[in-house]
């Protein structure tokens, strides 16, 4: 874990203590199983919502009505400049109570709907962030089209993927603060009428604890950068470090391409593109959340929709593509 990420975690814990609702401890309930994520936001989870026939029926009905597409995303596109009100991949529609709990305003949702700013940012911040990223990637290059940049994660799609279920009372066993906040949020709403997936920063707002016993921090700002030019340079740096014996055993074990997530080894990227690392650190400090650029070949992440959980970040027409001068 980087020093910057550790510092953000400490700040997140302090913020929860200062801003969270005052609650009395409650009794612990049944333990829950363990689940992991690519961003190290490790939490314990119940069996998949995909196993719930009620959610399956809700998803089928939402698709039939055109409320979500085959990928579980709401209608609309960046090309059109607008998309529908946020729903999860089973058709659950974000309610006013959800926005209130998550600390989001309708204005922020409208920025999100019109591709003006991902959640947790303003249009000006996103414009400055995107422009400075392309300055780092391609300040003097002749072919900016060699750099495809897309947003991923809940700040781009409002909900996390289907591998991150919405928590239940059972999931929050032994976490009285998070359990009480959850009950304040959901009230008497039956499980069948709740989201199936986690909305943006929901675990952070709950004050939920990760597997390490520490509070889950703010949601990451995920950037997927796809560029054969950058991959070639990272490969050259990787080979140099390997030949000089400067790669750790962990890096060697992970390999140049991550076996599970298919991104280029982060050590190779950091060493090949130190300015990208500085850019990410600067924006982590400005936004108060981890900023996570990941590098892939120009073809983008592979299509894994038929593998494992079916979670896949391969190129789609409904992706949020970052441009040099995004809409304000």
């Amino acid at each position: 874990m980087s020093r910057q990420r550790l510092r953000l975690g400490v700040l997140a814990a302090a913020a929860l203590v200062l801003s969270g609702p005052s609650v009395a401890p409650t009794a612990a309930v049944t333990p829950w199983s363990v689940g992991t994520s690519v961003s190290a936001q490790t939490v314990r989870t119940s069996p998949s919502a995909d196993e719930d026939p009620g959610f399956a029926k809700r998803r089928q009905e939402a698709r039939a009505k055109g409320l979500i597409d085959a990928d579980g995303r709401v209608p609309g596109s960046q090309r059109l400049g607008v998309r529908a009100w946020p729903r999860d991949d089973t058709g659950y529609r974000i309610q006013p109570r959800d926005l209130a709990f998550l600390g989001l305003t309708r204005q922020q949702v409208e920025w999100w709907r019109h591709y003006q700013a991902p959640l947790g940012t303003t249009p000006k911040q996103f414009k400055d962030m995107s422009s400075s990223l392309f300055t780092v990637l391609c300040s003097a290059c002749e072919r900016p089209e060699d750099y495809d940049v897309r947003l991923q994660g809940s700040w781009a799609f409002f909900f996390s993927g289907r591998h991150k279920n919405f928590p239940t009372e059972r999931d929050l066993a032994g976490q009285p603060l998070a359990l009480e906040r959850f009950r304040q949020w959901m009230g008497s709403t039956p499980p069948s009428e709740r989201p199936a997936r986690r909305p943006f920063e929901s675990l952070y707002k709950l004050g939920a604890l990760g597997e390490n016993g520490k509070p889950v921090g703010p949601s990451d700002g995920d950037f997927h950068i796809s560029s054969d030019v950058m991959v070639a340079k990272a490969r050259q740096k990787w080979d140099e470090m390997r030949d000089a014996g400067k790669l750790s055993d962990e890096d060697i074990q992970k390999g140049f391409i991550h076996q599970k997530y298919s991104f280029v080894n982060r050590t190779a990227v950091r060493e090949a593109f130190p300015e990208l690392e500085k850019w990410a650190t600067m924006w982590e400090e400005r936004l108060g959340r981890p900023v996570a650029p990941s590098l892939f070949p120009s073809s983008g992440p592979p299509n894994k929709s038929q593998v494992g959980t079916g979670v896949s970040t391969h190129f789609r027409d409904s992706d949020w593509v970052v441009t040099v001068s995004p809409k304000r």
Side-chain angles (χ1 to χ4, degrees):
M1 177 182 291
S2 68
R3 289 193 297 271
Q4 177 64 19
R5 188 178 290 269
L6 178 61
R7 190 177 72 83
L8 286 170
V10 173
L11 290 174
L16 283 169
V17 172
L18 292 173
S19 64
S22 176
V23 297
T26 56
V29 288
T30 311
W32 43 338
S33 58
V34 175
T36 60
S37 79
V38 64
S39 61
Q41 300 266 324
T42 306
V43 295
R44 299 171 179 177
T45 56
S46 291
S48 172
D50 290 333
E51 301 171 7
D52 189 316
F55 285 143
K57 181 180 179 181
R58 190 167 78 185
R59 180 185 300 108
Q60 291 174 351
E61 293 176 347
R63 287 182 180 176
K65 295 177 181 178
L67 301 177
I68 56 174
D69 63 17
D71 293 315
R73 298 179 181 179
V74 296
S77 68
Q78 191 172 7
R79 178 179 58 82
L80 296 173
V82 66
R83 54 183 158 182
W85 189 261
R87 294 176 182 268
D88 73 8
D89 70 322
T90 68
Y92 175 85
R93 187 179 190 274
I94 282 290
Q95 305 294 318
R97 68 169 182 194
D98 302 327
L99 296 182
F101 181 81
L102 298 171
L104 296 171
T105 65
R106 289 189 68 92
Q107 178 63 77
Q108 289 173 295
V109 178
E110 290 305 312
W111 288 337
W112 174 86
R113 289 187 60 214
H114 290 85
Y115 300 90
Q116 293 175 319
L119 300 176
T121 70
T122 66
K124 185 180 187 307
Q125 285 175 327
F126 183 49
K127 178 178 183 296
D128 293 345
M129 191 180 197
S130 302
S131 298
S132 61
L133 174 57
F134 274 91
T135 297
V136 169
L137 298 181
C138 187
S139 59
C141 71
E142 297 179 357
R143 291 176 52 84
E145 62 270 23
D146 287 339
Y147 303 83
D148 181 289
V149 182
R150 305 183 185 218
L151 300 184
Q152 292 292 337
S154 60
W155 77 331
F157 301 112
F158 211 104
F159 287 90
S160 297
R162 60 192 302 175
H163 59 308
K164 295 182 180 179
N165 296 335
F166 189 68
T168 66
E169 289 86 349
R170 176 175 177 266
D171 293 336
L172 298 174
Q175 300 188 42
L177 174 64
L179 184 60
E180 181 61 23
R181 289 181 180 176
F182 181 83
R183 287 169 173 164
Q184 291 174 359
W185 178 12
M186 286 289 107
S188 60
T189 304
S192 62
E193 297 178 15
R194 299 173 183 173
R197 315 300 177 195
R198 303 176 200 162
F200 174 73
E201 294 202 327
S202 52
L203 292 183
Y204 172 56
K205 296 295 184 178
L206 284 169
L209 304 179
E211 190 179 36
N212 58 8
K214 298 180 181 179
V216 173
S219 294
D220 289 3
D222 291 322
F223 285 82
H224 281 193
I225 304 170
S226 300
S227 170
D228 286 343
V229 173
M230 292 181 68
V231 171
K233 187 173 181 180
R235 183 78 208 197
Q236 181 180 5
K237 178 60 69 173
W238 169 270
D239 292 341
E240 291 174 359
M241 294 179 69
R242 181 197 58 199
D243 295 343
K246 294 182 178 180
L247 289 175
S248 68
D249 291 341
E250 181 181 3
D251 280 322
I252 293 174
Q253 183 177 11
K254 289 180 178 179
F256 181 67
I257 300 294
H258 195 285
Q259 294 183 3
K260 182 175 182 180
Y261 299 111
S262 303
F263 54 71
V264 174
N265 182 278
R266 297 197 187 281
T267 299
V269 173
R270 183 173 62 250
E271 294 298 322
F273 307 102
E275 293 304 311
L276 180 60
E277 178 79 4
K278 293 178 183 177
W279 171 87
T281 300
M282 177 182 71
W283 282 101
E284 283 183 356
E285 293 174 350
R286 292 187 181 184
L287 299 178
R289 70 181 64 257
V291 173
S294 299
L295 178 61
F296 300 87
S298 291
S299 57
N303 187 340
K304 295 187 176 181
S305 56
Q306 303 302 316
V307 179
T309 62
V311 175
S312 181
T313 58
H314 66 281
F315 287 175
R316 295 172 170 91
D317 291 340
S318 54
D319 285 347
W320 190 334
V321 180
V322 181
T323 59
V324 179
S325 299
K327 271 182 78 175
R328 293 189 69 108

